[in-house]
Amino acid sequence: MAVFDQNKADLLSDFEQSLKELTFPALPVIENLTEIARENTDVADKILQLIKTRIAKSIPDHKLASLYLFDSIVKKIGPPYNILVGDEIFEIYSNSYLLVNDKTRQRLSNLFETWKNTKSKGSNSPLFPRNQMDKIERFLQQANKSKSGNEGDAYGSGSGSGPGSGFNTASSTAPSSTHTTPGSTPSLPNKPMLMDHSKSTLTNASLIKDIDTLIPFSQNKLRNNPSDSKLQERINALSKLRTLLASQNMSVKELQTIQDRLRNIMQQEFGSSGSSTPTGMNTIPVQTPVPVVATTIHSSLSSSTSPSQSNIANEFFNMLIASGLVKVDQSLIPGSHPKYELKFPRIIKTGSVGNSISSASNSALERLLYGAKNGLTGEIGKTSSNMNNINNNTNTNTNGGVVGFETLKNIELNKLNVDPKNLQKFISSNKPSSVSISLLYDSKPSKCGTCGKRFSDDENGIQKRRLHLDWHFRVNKRLSSNTSTTGGKGGIIQSRNWYLDGYDWVKFKDENLLEYSTNGADSANAMNSLSLSSSSKASTPTPGSNSNNPNSIDGLLLNDGRVPFVVIPTNETNMINKCQICQDQINATYDDDSGEWRWVNCIKAPGEGKNSRKIFHATCFLEANKKRGADGDLNVKVKREKI
Amino acid sequence: MKSRRQHLLSPFISAAMSVIPGFSTGVSTDSDIVVDSGSKKFTELHIPSQSEWRVEIPFQTVLKLNVVSGIAEIYGTELPNNVEMTFSGAKISIYAPQTESNTGCTIKYTTGIKKSNQSGMSSGSNGSENEITEYISEEESSMVQNINLHFVLESIRQQTNEGPRVMVIGNSQSGKTSLLKTLAAYALKMDRSPILVNLNPQEGVYSLPGSLTATPISDMFEVESTNGWGNTTTSGVTFHNPKQPIVKNYGFEKFNENMDLYKYQVSKLGVAVMSRLEEDAEVRQSGVLVDTPALTIKDFTIIENIVSDFEINMIVVIGNERLVIELRKKFRHKVNNPLNIVKLTKSGGVVEVDEAFVRNLQQQTIREYFYGTLKSPLSPYNTNIDFKDLVIYKTVESSEFNPSLAFLPSGDDFTPEVDDSDMMDEGNGNRKSNEFSLDKYYSKVEEPDASLLSNTILAITQLPANDKSAKNLMNTSVMGYAYVSDVDDAKKKMRILLPVPGTLPRNILIVTGIRYIE
């Protein structure tokens, strides 16, 4: 047993080496490794162990590649691999899922979709054990919910029947239909598209899944609150949408748009349930009864939905049509079946105040979607090409189950429903709800103990708060050191600056005055020491550099406008490093222009050798230096790696 | 925290602070400060939700205040909890906003008398003059309509890419400035930074009285500073983030002392603000808030000018129904180019401010420009300069100007020249007919003397040395202000106080009608 064939040992160490090089899903490498795995099923357990280790230990950005390899092996080879790993699949999957970014998460959930429909090679049993798959399913639902701003307990209350039924419907309708006619839905991949980075892997099915998570939640809410007719309407509308999705092929773009709307409905749903006030429930005021457009709709839809559904649902569907979101294509021949298509406006009109908020032609639904869009962007007029960007924004805003302040604000503002035609009435008679007033206060829950400034709990707010507190600390230190050295009274401290002239003022950006600027006059000295020693071609300070330096919030620029970085030595094997000051992990990034791997926003510790791994965040270093600078001038020579 | 602040006493500001025993620990007491032994104890006060605590603090009195619990704000700017704040020479209103719990807020305060031989302002310190006046509002606060107005503005910001450009009109002391402060502070809480434009030369906003300014409000107001504005940028660090205004010289404290100059400078400020909006997406999306002097329907041409200069799309009229109706009539033609005119009721908390209080506030504003605030003290610089190095203009008062021209209908008599070539020949009088004439605005001072200059505030222009163009003089903005503390007619010299150490960076100055006594 312990005697181990030398060939196999070599093979395994080669395999391990190849795994390490698998940083992105390279098709030939994965195919090659899959072949090796196929030919060496006798050491399947060892190979799996290597892959599992690689998945667990590699940096998040590299995990996807190993997971795809894993996927390729279990699908193409099947037993014994999928059997061996069966009981751990949830653990492997969820651990990875938690660590990767949102883009990769989307890929992972697509990967999971494919697992559900794949049979174990050469048999009719599922690829992975049912209980593990169910666990993942629930896990993903929970993750999606918390991503859309759920506050945790909402899932708990809905979990009684919700996720289970959600899973059942998802697996029974959408995927099975695609399973039986695989050719008709090429958008649902049977295996992950290994080389495909650019194209979104959004599918009808995944959207249906989204709806399926939303419906049980709403149903549950309705059970607690049976008198709420609007909830009922929404549930019906959602199921209509679901039917539509299940029966039509959509382009990726359309799907993405729908997805965005759905996310925001979710956000509203869960967001409002988080606030305890009962008024918060009325998220969609349905005001204008929309005339029924086509009576034939009912006939075509009743085939797929239960006949007991009231005509409120039809009304909602008609609203979809009336608002132009669903296009009806019906030939003029009597009795022909109408065709439905989802349409979303590419650009939402950026009208003046006069007509943009709620002109009479807007249906309640459009306003809802409109609001949802605003919730994402904070401004309107973005084209759908920006959708990806917007998506990212939401994701960062909502990380960790916190609804971003922007989102919250925009939802609230939409609810206020200010009539631009009659501002006077609103100003004189509106009774602001406690929810809207809390926008000014509790929506930004952390209040600075020194100056009373408020910060939100979203990522942006946390970041700003950190910079704000740092800034207070720095200023206090500076102010107190000033007075103590000059003996308090009579010491020359500082004086007012001249005002800017018209031209400079027009060009001036106020962010240079704020604590979020890492490059104000305050840090000018430290910056100089950084940049002067940075290169032989010493950067000459631009005129007016005290006020006009570019800056960024999360990084910091040298005076010549470049981001500091440390080039990773070519012989370095561990790409992950940490800042010696804040101990945060620093990941490597690849610079296309120079072909180097770099630790960006970092500088090397002073006096360290070329291959030293001791690095600091430039900001941390600056901060530390500043603090020391307050105690006495310490001129640290900083060496910055040059290309 | 407390001890740090005690260290900050600047030579002057220290006078404004009294040390309350038991409040500061182990800090050397400044000799200028005499403790009022009568008021050692803190008074605790509960302000019910949606009520205001209105308090008037005389200039000789210091009020120290702590927010013990709940949320308290002054004109929209939230106060930190459990931090001691100091007020003097101010009329403030502390509002307890409506919150989920609706419990209002609790504050504690104490007062002291500052006794200072430096202060130079009101001399008497007999009893009641130095008492604070304070009460809690009983009627419903007007804050609800302010909040509603804020949400209107914010939804406009949300719906369009351009923030609203709002102008507030109302009688003198109707609460225009307080409203704008509140709106700006709320906008700030929405992560906006609107430009606050002050067209009321009586008050210096981030500048001195006699100026017209525009300032992006990118951070909180400093409620403890004079009038609750705060600092502009300094050579070092300030306790709060500073603001960066653009300053135009007008030179008088009433807008009608030289209407032509006023309108000219308003329009130039408008150009600067509109250009800034174009450059700066953040302020563009936040909008403009314009404060005005007390304008009535008689001043319609000025209102009309401001509306077009700042592309105003909303006029808020405070407490004057009639003005609303008349403005709506007059602006009927703007129906296609939406101009909303809304009215607000006047807050019951607005207090009549007497002339003396206004004077004192102006003096305090000027002092703050040179010496800074309690939390961020500054050191100005004294220097002597020769008249011969200077080109000095003074602002012309309308009454001094040829009366036959003054009778032209205001608004029609002035068209800014597009022609940039300035043909004016100094002292020659040989002018082209379409040439720009300085006569209505400034006159050159050939023989400066003590009677003209003593104790005045000089506006230092941004013009490079010996720029003789009248047009440029009109279009320049203010680089800073100097205070003339002493004039020696015999030696043709004067002693000036500069905010920035060093020599006078520019030699073209404008004598303003603003005076200051140190």
Side-chain angles (χ1 to χ4, degrees), chain B residues 430-488:
Chain B
N430 176 20
R431 295 168 185 173
K432 287 186 177 178
S433 57
N434 67 342
E435 191 177 291
F436 190 82
S437 160
L438 206 57
D439 296 357
K440 282 185 290 183
Y441 312 110
Y442 296 126
S443 63
K444 194 170 180 197
V445 180
E446 303 293 349
E447 294 285 328
D449 61 11
S451 64
L452 174 74
L453 292 172
S454 277
N455 294 320
T456 52
I457 295 294
L458 300 174
I460 304 163
T461 66
Q462 302 270 7
L463 291 179
N466 302 317
D467 186 332
K468 291 208 175 70
S469 154
K471 197 67 188 299
N472 291 351
L473 178 66
M474 289 303 293
N475 293 348
T476 188
S477 57
V478 175
M479 184 183 208
Y481 289 95
Y483 161 64
V484 183
S485 55
D486 194 25
V487 182
D488 189 333

Side-chain angles (χ1 to χ4, degrees), chain A residues 122-141:
Chain A
S123 76
N124 210 18
S125 53
L127 189 63
F128 296 120
R130 185 58 185 249
N131 68 331
Q132 290 281 321
M133 292 296 277
D134 285 355
K135 258 169 116 176
I136 297 179
E137 178 88 37
R138 276 196 297 276
F139 167 79
L140 283 177
Q141 276 174 8

Side-chain angles (χ1 to χ4, degrees), chain B residues 65-133:
Chain B
L65 176 95
N66 254 357
V67 180
V68 178
S69 67
I71 296 173
E73 64 181 29
I74 297 180
Y75 306 129
T77 300
E78 208 171 321
L79 306 183
N81 287 41
N82 298 311
V83 172
E84 182 191 304
M85 312 199 80
T86 310
F87 298 90
S88 182
K91 307 202 175 193
I92 53 174
S93 138
I94 295 184
Y95 175 68
Q98 178 190 350
T99 51
E100 297 276 352
S101 53
N102 260 339
T103 49
C105 69
T106 306
I107 57 163
K108 59 177 185 181
Y109 68 95
T110 183
T111 57
I113 306 294
K114 69 181 173 197
K115 187 176 160 192
S116 151
N117 42 16
Q118 286 184 355
S119 104
M121 36 184 208
S122 91
S123 49
S125 56
N126 51 351
S128 66
E129 247 179 55
N130 293 327
E131 300 274 304
I132 61 162
T133 332

Side-chain angles (χ1 to χ4, degrees), chain B residues 7-74:
Chain B
H7 278 299
L8 292 187
L9 304 177
S10 81
F12 187 83
I13 292 294
S14 62
M17 228 185 108
S18 77
V19 173
I20 308 298
F23 212 85
S24 57
T25 47
V27 181
S28 64
T29 307
D30 225 279
S31 58
D32 297 340
I33 297 167
V34 170
V35 179
D36 176 19
S37 52
S39 49
K40 285 177 193 170
K41 275 192 216 121
F42 278 100
T43 312
E44 197 157 293
L45 179 78
H46 180 254
I47 305 172
S49 178
Q50 296 190 68
S51 292
E52 289 172 37
W53 183 54
R54 294 165 187 157
V55 52
E56 296 171 32
I57 310 139
F59 284 87
Q60 287 294 298
T61 305
V62 170
L63 175 92
K64 283 166 181 285
L65 176 95
N66 254 357
V67 180
V68 178
S69 67
I71 296 173
E73 64 181 29
I74 297 180

Side-chain angles (χ1 to χ4, degrees), chain A residues 276-277 349-354 356-357 370-371 374-375 378-381 405-406 409-414 416 418 420-442 444 447-454 456 460 464 468 471-472 474-480 482-484 488-511 513-516 521-522 547, chain B residues 1 4 7-9 11 30 32 70-71 73 78-81 83 97-100 140 144-145 147-152 154-156 158-161 186 188-192 195 206-208 214-216 218-220 231-247 272-273 275-276 279-280 282 285 314 328 338 340-344 368-370 372 375-379 460 462 477-481 498-501 505:
Chain A
S276 56
T277 47
K349 197 178 168 211
T350 60
S352 67
V353 197
S356 60
I357 301 178
Y370 186 32
N374 283 334
E379 59 185 56
I380 60 169
F405 176 73
E406 276 297 297
K409 179 177 89 180
N410 288 315
I411 291 170
E412 241 349 271
L413 282 173
N414 279 301
L416 280 176
V418 178
K421 294 267 158 52
N422 200 348
L423 298 179
Q424 183 69 62
K425 187 170 163 239
F426 183 88
I427 292 169
S428 319
S429 58
N430 179 54
K431 293 264 173 283
S433 71
S434 57
V435 182
S436 41
I437 287 183
S438 75
L439 275 185
L440 290 165
Y441 308 99
D442 297 336
K444 288 186 171 181
K447 179 168 166 179
C448 171
T450 310
C451 69
K453 198 169 183 170
R454 283 185 175 272
S456 57
N460 185 24
K464 281 191 165 176
H468 179 80
W471 165 80
H472 267 311
R474 229 157 51 222
V475 167
N476 285 345
K477 191 110 186 178
R478 282 279 280 274
L479 287 175
S480 60
N482 270 338
T483 39
S484 61
K489 194 179 168 175
I492 292 171
I493 303 164
Q494 54 176 325
S495 55
R496 195 170 296 288
N497 283 347
W498 298 116
Y499 296 127
L500 297 179
D501 77 7
Y503 182 80
D504 288 340
W505 183 81
V506 165
K507 299 280 178 202
F508 187 79
K509 296 284 178 291
D510 264 50
E511 62 204 40
L513 299 172
L514 303 183
E515 63 267 37
Y516 317 120
D522 186 33
S547 54
Chain B
M1 180 57 87
R4 180 190 47 73
H7 278 299
L8 292 187
L9 304 177
D30 225 279
D32 297 340
I71 296 173
E73 64 181 29
E78 208 171 321
L79 306 183
N81 287 41
V83 172
Q98 178 190 350
T99 51
E100 297 276 352
E140 195 169 301
V144 169
Q145 58 174 0
I147 289 170
N148 284 339
L149 179 56
H150 161 71
F151 281 123
V152 165
E154 190 58 31
S155 57
I156 293 172
Q158 182 208 19
Q159 300 301 333
T160 63
N161 255 330
Y186 285 169
L188 200 63
K189 288 189 173 204
M190 304 286 112
D191 302 326
R192 309 286 186 181
I195 294 187
Y206 296 105
S207 182
L208 303 195
T215 317
S218 51
D219 205 359
M220 295 169 85
N231 263 313
T232 56
T233 61
T234 69
S235 58
V237 295
T238 46
F239 186 81
H240 290 94
N241 283 318
K243 310 287 190 297
Q244 187 67 273
I246 182 162
V247 181
V273 168
S275 315
R276 175 71 181 259
E279 292 285 326
D280 192 334
E282 196 164 341
Q285 286 156 18
M314 186 188 289
R328 281 195 182 137
N340 277 297
I341 301 175
V342 296
K343 69 169 200 304
L344 294 186
E368 193 174 280
Y369 173 73
F370 290 106
K375 281 183 173 170
S376 302
L378 302 174
S379 306
I460 304 163
Q462 302 270 7
S477 57
V478 175
M479 184 183 208
Y481 289 95
L498 290 176
V500 180

Side-chain angles (χ1 to χ4, degrees), chain A residues 3 19 23 101 118 153 171 186 261 272 300 320 337 348 388 435 481 516 584:
Chain A
V3 182
L19 269 177
T23 56
N101 61 25
T118 311
D153 58 345
S171 55
R261 313 293 156 166
S272 68
S300 71
L320 283 167
H337 284 289
I348 289 172
N388 279 329
V435 182
S481 75
Y516 317 120
D584 274 2

Side-chain angles (χ1 to χ4, degrees), chain B residues 192-232:
Chain B
R192 309 286 186 181
S193 51
I195 294 187
L196 187 78
V197 175
N198 177 43
L199 300 182
N200 181 5
Q202 194 170 65
E203 198 184 345
V205 177
Y206 296 105
S207 182
L208 303 195
S211 64
L212 307 177
T213 58
T215 317
I217 304 302
S218 51
D219 205 359
M220 295 169 85
F221 293 117
E222 299 167 36
V223 291
E224 291 165 278
S225 59
T226 305
N227 268 327
W229 299 114
N231 263 313
T232 56

